[in-house]
Short mmCIF file of all heavy atoms in Angstrom, two decimals:
data_model
loop_
_atom_site.label_atom_id
_atom_site.label_comp_id
_atom_site.label_asym_id
_atom_site.label_seq_id
_atom_site.Cartn_x
_atom_site.Cartn_y
_atom_site.Cartn_z
N GLY W 17 143.10 52.29 132.68
CA GLY W 17 142.10 51.50 133.40
C GLY W 17 141.46 52.21 134.57
O GLY W 17 141.09 51.60 135.57
N LEU W 18 141.30 53.54 134.46
CA LEU W 18 140.73 54.31 135.57
C LEU W 18 139.21 54.37 135.54
O LEU W 18 138.60 54.95 136.44
CB LEU W 18 141.28 55.74 135.54
CG LEU W 18 142.80 55.87 135.69
CD1 LEU W 18 143.21 57.32 135.58
CD2 LEU W 18 143.24 55.31 137.03
N GLU W 19 138.58 53.78 134.52
CA GLU W 19 137.13 53.90 134.37
C GLU W 19 136.37 53.39 135.59
O GLU W 19 135.37 53.96 136.01
CB GLU W 19 136.66 53.17 133.11
CG GLU W 19 137.00 53.88 131.82
CD GLU W 19 138.47 53.71 131.43
OE1 GLU W 19 139.17 52.92 132.06
OE2 GLU W 19 138.90 54.39 130.50
N LYS W 20 136.83 52.27 136.16
CA LYS W 20 136.08 51.70 137.29
C LYS W 20 136.12 52.62 138.51
O LYS W 20 135.15 52.71 139.27
CB LYS W 20 136.64 50.33 137.66
CG LYS W 20 138.06 50.31 138.18
CD LYS W 20 138.50 48.90 138.53
CE LYS W 20 139.92 48.87 139.08
NZ LYS W 20 140.36 47.51 139.42
N TRP W 21 137.25 53.35 138.68
CA TRP W 21 137.32 54.28 139.81
C TRP W 21 136.46 55.50 139.56
O TRP W 21 135.94 56.11 140.50
CB TRP W 21 138.76 54.69 140.06
CG TRP W 21 139.62 53.56 140.52
CD1 TRP W 21 140.69 53.04 139.88
CD2 TRP W 21 139.47 52.79 141.72
NE1 TRP W 21 141.22 51.99 140.59
CE2 TRP W 21 140.48 51.81 141.72
CE3 TRP W 21 138.56 52.81 142.77
CZ2 TRP W 21 140.63 50.88 142.75
CZ3 TRP W 21 138.70 51.89 143.80
CH2 TRP W 21 139.72 50.95 143.78
N VAL W 22 136.31 55.88 138.29
CA VAL W 22 135.42 57.01 137.96
C VAL W 22 133.99 56.68 138.36
O VAL W 22 133.25 57.51 138.86
CB VAL W 22 135.50 57.34 136.46
CG1 VAL W 22 134.42 58.33 136.07
CG2 VAL W 22 136.86 57.91 136.12
N THR W 23 133.61 55.42 138.15
CA THR W 23 132.26 54.98 138.49
C THR W 23 132.06 54.96 140.00
O THR W 23 131.01 55.36 140.52
CB THR W 23 131.99 53.58 137.92
OG1 THR W 23 132.20 53.62 136.51
CG2 THR W 23 130.56 53.15 138.20
N ILE W 24 133.09 54.52 140.75
CA ILE W 24 132.95 54.33 142.19
C ILE W 24 133.18 55.63 142.96
O ILE W 24 132.37 56.04 143.78
CB ILE W 24 133.93 53.24 142.68
CG1 ILE W 24 133.62 51.92 141.99
CG2 ILE W 24 133.85 53.08 144.20
CD1 ILE W 24 134.67 50.85 142.24
N GLU W 25 134.33 56.28 142.71
CA GLU W 25 134.70 57.47 143.47
C GLU W 25 135.26 58.54 142.54
O GLU W 25 136.46 58.83 142.58
CB GLU W 25 135.73 57.12 144.54
CG GLU W 25 135.25 56.17 145.62
CD GLU W 25 136.32 55.94 146.67
OE1 GLU W 25 137.24 55.16 146.43
OE2 GLU W 25 136.24 56.59 147.72
N PRO W 26 134.44 59.14 141.70
CA PRO W 26 134.97 60.09 140.71
C PRO W 26 135.63 61.32 141.33
O PRO W 26 136.69 61.74 140.87
CB PRO W 26 133.73 60.46 139.89
CG PRO W 26 132.56 60.14 140.76
CD PRO W 26 133.00 58.97 141.59
N GLU W 27 135.03 61.89 142.37
CA GLU W 27 135.57 63.12 142.93
C GLU W 27 136.88 62.85 143.68
O GLU W 27 137.84 63.63 143.57
CB GLU W 27 134.54 63.77 143.87
CG GLU W 27 133.32 64.28 143.12
CD GLU W 27 132.35 65.00 144.03
OE1 GLU W 27 132.68 65.18 145.23
OE2 GLU W 27 131.28 65.39 143.56
N ARG W 28 136.94 61.74 144.44
CA ARG W 28 138.17 61.42 145.16
C ARG W 28 139.31 61.15 144.18
O ARG W 28 140.44 61.58 144.39
CB ARG W 28 137.96 60.20 146.07
CG ARG W 28 137.04 60.42 147.25
CD ARG W 28 137.59 61.47 148.21
NE ARG W 28 138.87 61.11 148.79
CZ ARG W 28 139.01 60.38 149.91
NH1 ARG W 28 137.94 59.93 150.54
NH2 ARG W 28 140.19 60.12 150.40
N LEU W 29 139.01 60.42 143.12
CA LEU W 29 140.04 60.10 142.14
C LEU W 29 140.52 61.37 141.45
O LEU W 29 141.73 61.56 141.27
CB LEU W 29 139.50 59.12 141.11
CG LEU W 29 140.47 58.74 139.98
CD1 LEU W 29 141.71 58.07 140.53
CD2 LEU W 29 139.80 57.83 138.97
N ALA W 30 139.60 62.24 141.05
CA ALA W 30 139.98 63.48 140.37
C ALA W 30 140.86 64.34 141.27
O ALA W 30 141.89 64.88 140.83
CB ALA W 30 138.73 64.25 139.95
N THR W 31 140.48 64.47 142.55
CA THR W 31 141.27 65.27 143.49
C THR W 31 142.65 64.67 143.70
O THR W 31 143.67 65.38 143.69
CB THR W 31 140.54 65.37 144.85
OG1 THR W 31 139.26 65.97 144.65
CG2 THR W 31 141.34 66.21 145.83
N ASP W 32 142.69 63.36 143.86
CA ASP W 32 143.96 62.68 144.11
C ASP W 32 144.91 62.82 142.92
O ASP W 32 146.10 63.11 143.08
CB ASP W 32 143.69 61.20 144.40
CG ASP W 32 144.84 60.55 145.15
OD1 ASP W 32 145.42 61.23 146.02
OD2 ASP W 32 145.14 59.39 144.88
N LEU W 33 144.38 62.63 141.71
CA LEU W 33 145.22 62.76 140.52
C LEU W 33 145.67 64.20 140.30
O LEU W 33 146.81 64.45 139.90
CB LEU W 33 144.47 62.26 139.29
CG LEU W 33 144.42 60.75 139.09
CD1 LEU W 33 143.59 60.41 137.87
CD2 LEU W 33 145.81 60.17 138.94
N ALA W 34 144.78 65.15 140.55
CA ALA W 34 145.15 66.56 140.39
C ALA W 34 146.27 66.92 141.34
O ALA W 34 147.22 67.64 140.97
CB ALA W 34 143.93 67.46 140.63
N ASN W 35 146.21 66.43 142.58
CA ASN W 35 147.29 66.67 143.55
C ASN W 35 148.59 66.04 143.07
O ASN W 35 149.67 66.63 143.17
CB ASN W 35 146.92 66.11 144.93
CG ASN W 35 145.86 66.94 145.62
OD1 ASN W 35 145.76 68.14 145.38
ND2 ASN W 35 145.05 66.31 146.45
N PHE W 36 148.49 64.82 142.56
CA PHE W 36 149.68 64.12 142.09
C PHE W 36 150.32 64.86 140.91
O PHE W 36 151.53 65.05 140.87
CB PHE W 36 149.30 62.70 141.67
CG PHE W 36 150.47 61.84 141.28
CD1 PHE W 36 151.24 61.23 142.26
CD2 PHE W 36 150.80 61.64 139.96
CE1 PHE W 36 152.34 60.45 141.92
CE2 PHE W 36 151.88 60.86 139.60
CZ PHE W 36 152.65 60.26 140.59
N LEU W 37 149.49 65.30 139.97
CA LEU W 37 150.01 66.00 138.79
C LEU W 37 150.52 67.40 139.13
O LEU W 37 151.22 68.02 138.33
CB LEU W 37 148.93 66.10 137.71
CG LEU W 37 148.42 64.77 137.15
CD1 LEU W 37 147.33 65.01 136.11
CD2 LEU W 37 149.55 63.98 136.53
N SER W 38 150.16 67.90 140.31
CA SER W 38 150.65 69.21 140.73
C SER W 38 152.00 69.11 141.43
O SER W 38 152.63 70.14 141.70
CB SER W 38 149.63 69.87 141.67
OG SER W 38 148.42 70.14 141.00
N ALA W 39 152.44 67.90 141.75
CA ALA W 39 153.74 67.71 142.40
C ALA W 39 154.81 67.77 141.32
O ALA W 39 155.22 66.76 140.76
CB ALA W 39 153.77 66.37 143.13
N LEU W 40 155.28 68.96 141.01
CA LEU W 40 156.14 69.18 139.84
C LEU W 40 157.45 68.42 139.92
O LEU W 40 158.06 68.11 138.89
CB LEU W 40 156.42 70.68 139.68
CG LEU W 40 155.19 71.55 139.41
CD1 LEU W 40 155.61 72.98 139.18
CD2 LEU W 40 154.44 71.04 138.20
N ILE W 41 157.92 68.11 141.11
CA ILE W 41 159.18 67.41 141.25
C ILE W 41 159.13 66.04 140.55
O ILE W 41 160.16 65.49 140.15
CB ILE W 41 159.55 67.24 142.74
CG1 ILE W 41 161.02 66.84 142.89
CG2 ILE W 41 158.65 66.22 143.43
CD1 ILE W 41 161.50 66.87 144.33
N LEU W 42 157.92 65.51 140.40
CA LEU W 42 157.77 64.20 139.75
C LEU W 42 157.84 64.29 138.23
O LEU W 42 157.93 63.27 137.55
CB LEU W 42 156.41 63.59 140.13
CG LEU W 42 156.16 63.39 141.62
CD1 LEU W 42 154.74 62.97 141.84
CD2 LEU W 42 157.12 62.37 142.18
N PHE W 43 157.83 65.50 137.68
CA PHE W 43 157.75 65.66 136.24
C PHE W 43 158.88 66.52 135.67
O PHE W 43 158.79 67.00 134.56
CB PHE W 43 156.39 66.27 135.86
CG PHE W 43 155.23 65.47 136.37
CD1 PHE W 43 154.61 65.81 137.56
CD2 PHE W 43 154.78 64.36 135.69
CE1 PHE W 43 153.56 65.06 138.05
CE2 PHE W 43 153.73 63.61 136.17
CZ PHE W 43 153.12 63.95 137.35
N GLU W 44 159.93 66.70 136.45
CA GLU W 44 161.04 67.52 136.00
C GLU W 44 162.08 66.71 135.22
O GLU W 44 162.82 67.25 134.42
CB GLU W 44 161.72 68.19 137.21
CG GLU W 44 160.84 69.19 137.95
CD GLU W 44 160.56 70.44 137.14
OE1 GLU W 44 161.31 70.69 136.18
OE2 GLU W 44 159.60 71.14 137.44
N ARG W 45 162.15 65.43 135.48
CA ARG W 45 163.17 64.59 134.84
C ARG W 45 162.71 64.15 133.46
O ARG W 45 161.66 63.52 133.31
CB ARG W 45 163.44 63.37 135.70
CG ARG W 45 164.02 63.73 137.06
CD ARG W 45 165.45 63.29 137.18
NE ARG W 45 166.05 63.86 138.38
CZ ARG W 45 167.30 64.23 138.46
NH1 ARG W 45 168.08 64.14 137.39
NH2 ARG W 45 167.80 64.71 139.58
N THR W 46 163.49 64.45 132.44
CA THR W 46 163.11 64.08 131.08
C THR W 46 163.19 62.58 130.85
O THR W 46 162.58 62.06 129.92
CB THR W 46 164.01 64.80 130.06
OG1 THR W 46 165.38 64.47 130.32
CG2 THR W 46 163.83 66.30 130.14
N LYS W 47 163.95 61.88 131.69
CA LYS W 47 164.10 60.42 131.51
C LYS W 47 162.97 59.64 132.20
O LYS W 47 162.90 58.43 132.08
CB LYS W 47 165.44 59.95 132.08
CG LYS W 47 166.66 60.55 131.39
CD LYS W 47 166.82 60.02 129.97
CE LYS W 47 168.10 60.52 129.33
NZ LYS W 47 168.29 60.00 127.97
N LEU W 48 162.13 60.35 132.94
CA LEU W 48 160.97 59.72 133.58
C LEU W 48 159.71 60.35 132.99
O LEU W 48 159.46 61.54 133.17
CB LEU W 48 160.99 59.94 135.10
CG LEU W 48 159.76 59.40 135.85
CD1 LEU W 48 159.72 57.89 135.82
CD2 LEU W 48 159.75 59.91 137.28
N VAL W 49 158.93 59.55 132.28
CA VAL W 49 157.77 60.07 131.56
C VAL W 49 156.51 59.35 132.04
O VAL W 49 156.49 58.12 132.12
CB VAL W 49 157.92 59.87 130.04
CG1 VAL W 49 156.69 60.38 129.30
CG2 VAL W 49 159.18 60.57 129.54
N TYR W 50 155.48 60.11 132.37
CA TYR W 50 154.17 59.55 132.73
C TYR W 50 153.24 59.65 131.53
O TYR W 50 153.17 60.69 130.87
CB TYR W 50 153.55 60.32 133.90
CG TYR W 50 154.22 60.09 135.23
CD1 TYR W 50 155.34 60.83 135.59
CD2 TYR W 50 153.72 59.16 136.13
CE1 TYR W 50 155.96 60.63 136.82
CE2 TYR W 50 154.33 58.95 137.35
CZ TYR W 50 155.45 59.69 137.69
OH TYR W 50 156.06 59.50 138.90
N LYS W 51 152.53 58.57 131.25
CA LYS W 51 151.52 58.56 130.20
C LYS W 51 150.19 58.16 130.85
O LYS W 51 149.97 56.98 131.14
CB LYS W 51 151.89 57.56 129.10
CG LYS W 51 153.20 57.85 128.40
CD LYS W 51 153.11 59.07 127.50
CE LYS W 51 154.43 59.30 126.76
NZ LYS W 51 154.38 60.49 125.89
N PHE W 52 149.34 59.14 131.13
CA PHE W 52 148.05 58.87 131.74
C PHE W 52 146.98 58.77 130.67
O PHE W 52 146.84 59.67 129.84
CB PHE W 52 147.66 60.01 132.70
CG PHE W 52 148.43 60.01 133.99
CD1 PHE W 52 149.62 60.70 134.10
CD2 PHE W 52 147.95 59.32 135.09
CE1 PHE W 52 150.33 60.71 135.29
CE2 PHE W 52 148.65 59.32 136.28
CZ PHE W 52 149.85 60.02 136.38
N PHE W 53 146.23 57.69 130.69
CA PHE W 53 145.05 57.56 129.83
C PHE W 53 143.83 57.71 130.75
O PHE W 53 143.50 56.79 131.49
CB PHE W 53 145.04 56.19 129.13
CG PHE W 53 146.10 56.07 128.09
CD1 PHE W 53 147.40 55.71 128.43
CD2 PHE W 53 145.81 56.32 126.75
CE1 PHE W 53 148.39 55.60 127.47
CE2 PHE W 53 146.80 56.21 125.78
CZ PHE W 53 148.10 55.85 126.14
N VAL W 54 143.22 58.88 130.73
CA VAL W 54 142.13 59.16 131.67
C VAL W 54 140.81 59.32 130.92
O VAL W 54 140.78 59.82 129.79
CB VAL W 54 142.41 60.44 132.50
CG1 VAL W 54 143.67 60.26 133.33
CG2 VAL W 54 142.56 61.66 131.61
N PRO W 55 139.71 58.90 131.53
CA PRO W 55 138.40 59.08 130.90
C PRO W 55 138.08 60.56 130.71
O PRO W 55 138.58 61.42 131.45
CB PRO W 55 137.43 58.43 131.91
CG PRO W 55 138.28 57.55 132.75
CD PRO W 55 139.62 58.21 132.81
#
């Protein structure tokens, strides 16, 4: 459901998500899985 944020603040959202996905500590655990559906 990120489409509405793409319309309103595409650059801020892209930067924020890129920073979040770069925080590797959040993606090291195999029992915690993120599924992002992005436009």
Side-chain angles (χ1 to χ4, degrees):
L18 299 178
E19 286 77 9
K20 65 179 181 181
W21 294 117
V22 170
T23 303
I24 299 171
E25 296 183 281
E27 293 184 4
R28 292 297 298 273
L29 177 62
T31 301
D32 201 37
L33 280 178
N35 288 331
F36 185 80
L37 297 179
S38 296
L40 297 184
I41 195 171
L42 301 173
F43 304 96
E44 295 291 341
R45 297 248 169 215
T46 57
K47 298 290 185 179
L48 176 68
V49 179
Y50 289 84
K51 299 288 183 181
F52 286 90
F53 290 84
V54 298

